[in-house]
Amino acid sequence: MAVVVKACAYILVNVPDFVRYGSKPIRDLEGKPELLHEINSRLRTYDEVLAYAPNQVFIGNRHPDDLHEVPSPWYDHPLDKPSRDGPFGEIMPQEEFYGWIKIADDFDLVWLAKGFIDQIRDRIASHALIRPEDIQKLGTGVPPEKIQKLLAENGALPLYFHGSVVGLLRHVHENDDCLKAHVLMENILAKASGALVVRHLLQKAGMGPGDVDFLLECSETAIGDRYQRGGGSLAKAIAEMCRCPNATGHDIRAFCAAPIYAIINAAGLVQAGIYRNVVVVGGGCLAKIGMKYAAHLKSEMPVLEDVLGGVAFLVTTDDGINPIIRLDCIGKHDVIAGSSQQAIMTTLVSRPLAKLGMKMLDVDKYATEMHNAEITLPAGSGNTPYTNYKIMASLAALNKEIDRTEIEKFIRVKGMPGFSPTQGHVPAAVPFLGHARQAMNAGNMKFAMFLAKGSPFLGRMSELSDGVSFLLERNPVKN
């Protein structure tokens, strides 16, 4: 039984007032609080975020290859007439997302001021994916003096909008670092953004919440308490918030490669007949917000890591329409493979293709870690997509599929510019999945390969690298 990707959804949430709470900024601000003014002076407006070309690519209003025609730097060349909504999802402003955070709050962690709730209520209620019961959870708000009192005597974190305090997020345990306000903030932002993108997914699939059987959550946010620090389950929390009564789920964690692992796991569950409709979802990662702010300030450019990303995919049985996940063409980076880049690309690209008698040139497009290089280059992190494509092209040359003089042509034709926010798991190849599905369903593409690498060494338990890949094929019924 074949397995298809029936729908894809992507969201971005502009969160400028949360940049201070990213893992890197919050640590630096403890020692140098005066940095906050400089950070705030470099934050973008929502309109600037909306008109930023990579963001429009992310939600499907532009194709990744269109970025070749946008002058660099992209942040200095905003697009004309950008749209909040796209074929794959939306770019949400911060004030509306505060409502989603409160709706995601089942333990009275988030207090929003009454005046602020009054200010945002109508905008939240008018969102196409909001239901009356969501507005009930929004509540009426808290008196400002009560918020100020708790901030003065408790370990709560203030919540800001345009620099003014509009609420707080409580901590719930004095001695449990996993339940401190900052960690809870990371958790609830992942839950709220995950639920937002799943609701988009269900709408695009034309499917009711009751038809979802299982969720796999693949972000880099591992929830728990001091006794089980990564116990989970964001998947089930998101399923509950999306009112999927017949679903359960669990979390998959594999550093930046987790979305690819999750999609392969979902396809295996469907093919085995265990579940019919499996949702893969990755909510946003607060820890990565503002991660490279120092380099951006030094380069006198905007702080570009000011958005949460969210991705979601519906994996289900073959419908004769949507592209097929080829489970007979899975690449994996075995322990014995070694950690050289050539060895990794061999295990993830050429070896699985060889199982089907395919060459690297038979694949129309490759999607790798789609980090936006405009964010990473100022910090000395390089251009990750270009580097990976160059390794692939060199491997194709080594295999005598192309001449070495054709390496740059391979990169241009088979690859694409990076366009994803640097949210760890979010760039891991899957931002292109919506574009590939769209092209295949239109008959304009036959094969796309998705590969991502992980970094187990970051946990100081292994020096190994990791990686995984799968091949997507246009449904044969459409050929």
Side-chain angles (χ1 to χ4, degrees):
M1 178 175 63
V3 180
V4 302
V5 179
K6 185 175 181 179
C8 304
Y10 302 84
I11 58 100
L12 295 174
V13 183
N14 184 213
V15 286
D17 285 300
F18 285 89
V19 169
R20 70 182 73 202
Y21 292 132
S23 181
K24 171 69 171 170
I26 198 171
R27 285 181 285 118
D28 289 353
L29 286 167
E30 286 178 2
K32 296 181 69 176
E34 64 274 12
L35 275 174
L36 183 59
H37 174 74
E38 194 174 356
I39 291 173
N40 287 342
S41 71
R42 290 287 176 179
L43 295 176
R44 295 183 291 181
T45 66
Y46 174 67
D47 286 342
E48 289 171 327
V49 168
L50 208 62
Y52 188 52
N55 293 346
Q56 290 294 313
V57 172
F58 193 82
I59 62 170
N61 285 328
R62 297 291 185 100
H63 190 274
D65 287 342
D66 292 346
L67 291 171
H68 288 301
E69 311 307 320
V70 180
S72 181
W74 294 328
Y75 57 80
D76 271 344
H77 296 88
L79 298 179
D80 292 331
K81 299 180 181 178
S83 175
R84 166 179 173 157
D85 300 304
F88 305 153
E90 69 171 306
I91 303 173
M92 178 173 278
Q94 180 175 257
E95 59 267 36
E96 290 184 35
F97 189 59
Y98 266 121
W100 285 80
I101 295 170
K102 182 57 187 171
I103 294 164
D105 176 20
D106 290 333
F107 291 88
D108 197 31
L109 301 173
V110 178
W111 291 8
L112 294 177
K114 183 181 184 306
F116 185 64
I117 290 282
D118 293 340
Q119 178 184 337
I120 65 175
R121 183 185 303 277
D122 288 347
R123 289 190 61 174
I124 295 165
S126 66
H127 195 285
L129 301 178
I130 285 288
R131 303 161 187 167
E133 52 267 40
D134 295 322
I135 297 302
Q136 289 180 3
K137 287 199 70 177
L138 197 59
T140 58
V142 177
E145 57 272 18
K146 188 175 180 181
I147 290 172
Q148 292 300 332
K149 184 175 186 294
L150 191 62
L151 285 173
E153 61 189 32
N154 184 274
L157 285 177
L159 298 175
Y160 296 92
F161 180 62
H162 291 169
S164 298
V165 175
V166 296
L168 59 79
L169 196 148
R170 300 188 305 121
H171 79 181
V172 296
H173 200 291
E174 291 289 341
N175 300 313
D176 189 342
D177 286 344
C178 295
L179 296 176
K180 294 288 178 68
H182 185 244
V183 176
L184 292 171
M185 181 182 286
E186 292 180 351
N187 298 346
I188 201 165
L189 264 62
K191 176 185 174 182
S193 54
L196 172 61
V197 75
V198 168
R199 291 195 186 186
H200 272 286
L201 181 77
L202 297 180
Q203 182 190 60
K204 294 179 188 314
M207 190 170 80
D211 294 325
V212 178
D213 300 310
F214 203 77
L215 282 86
L216 294 171
E217 207 278 345
C218 60
S219 72
E220 293 188 326
T221 302
I223 63 173
D225 66 6
R226 60 182 167 178
Y227 296 110
Q228 44 187 10
R229 295 173 186 181
S233 163
L234 272 174
K236 198 154 191 176
I238 290 170
E240 179 189 32
M241 187 172 171
C242 292
R243 294 177 176 83
C244 300
N246 303 314
T248 184
H250 66 81
D251 302 345
I252 288 182
R253 298 291 176 261
F255 291 93
C256 296
I260 305 295
Y261 274 109
I263 289 171
I264 293 170
N265 273 266
L269 290 169
V270 172
Q271 188 176 61
I274 299 173
Y275 303 112
R276 180 179 177 84
N277 295 313
V278 180
V279 168
V280 172
V281 54
C285 185
L286 174 62
K288 298 292 178 70
I289 294 294
M291 184 168 54
K292 296 175 179 61
Y293 85 90
H296 296 171
L297 294 182
K298 187 176 180 180
S299 299
E300 298 185 344
M301 58 185 283
V303 176
L304 296 177
E305 292 169 313
D306 56 356
V307 291
L308 292 171
V311 298
F313 313 99
L314 176 59
V315 179
T316 187
T317 52
D318 188 7
D319 58 3
I321 298 171
N322 285 289
I324 290 171
I325 300 170
R326 292 294 301 263
L327 288 174
D328 55 351
C329 188
I330 301 298
K332 62 188 180 80
H333 182 234
D334 300 322
V335 169
I336 199 173
S339 57
S340 75
Q341 293 303 308
Q342 180 180 321
I344 293 173
M345 286 301 176
T346 298
T347 60
L348 299 187
V349 180
S350 59
R351 188 175 297 168
L353 288 174
K355 293 179 188 176
L356 304 183
M358 293 177 63
K359 301 291 187 181
M360 291 180 67
L361 290 181
D362 294 330
V363 176
D364 297 295
K365 281 283 189 181
Y366 291 90
T368 177
E369 292 103 339
M370 301 314 306
H371 293 279
N372 176 354
E374 198 158 81
I375 298 173
T376 58
L377 281 169
S381 303
N383 184 335
T384 302
Y386 179 83
T387 299
N388 284 336
Y389 289 130
K390 191 166 187 177
I391 296 168
M392 286 183 215
S394 299
L395 182 61
L398 190 65
N399 294 341
K400 308 298 183 185
E401 292 192 46
I402 64 171
D403 188 81
R404 289 202 167 273
T405 60
E406 298 177 293
I407 284 177
E408 289 299 323
K409 179 183 176 182
F410 180 100
I411 294 169
R412 177 71 179 243
V413 173
K414 301 296 185 181
M416 68 198 79
F419 59 90
S420 173
T422 52
Q423 289 267 287
H425 63 290
V426 171
V430 294
F432 184 64
L433 189 50
H435 292 281
R437 175 183 168 273
Q438 193 177 62
M440 289 181 184
N441 286 356
N444 298 326
M445 181 184 291
K446 187 170 183 182
F447 292 108
M449 182 169 255
F450 297 81
L451 59 141
K453 293 179 283 185
S455 309
F457 50 84
L458 294 176
R460 306 303 194 270
M461 291 291 107
S462 170
E463 293 187 0
L464 292 173
S465 296
D466 191 23
V468 66
S469 66
F470 70 84
L471 184 70
L472 193 73
E473 180 183 10
R474 184 170 69 223
N475 200 300
V477 177
K478 297 186 74 65
N479 286 348

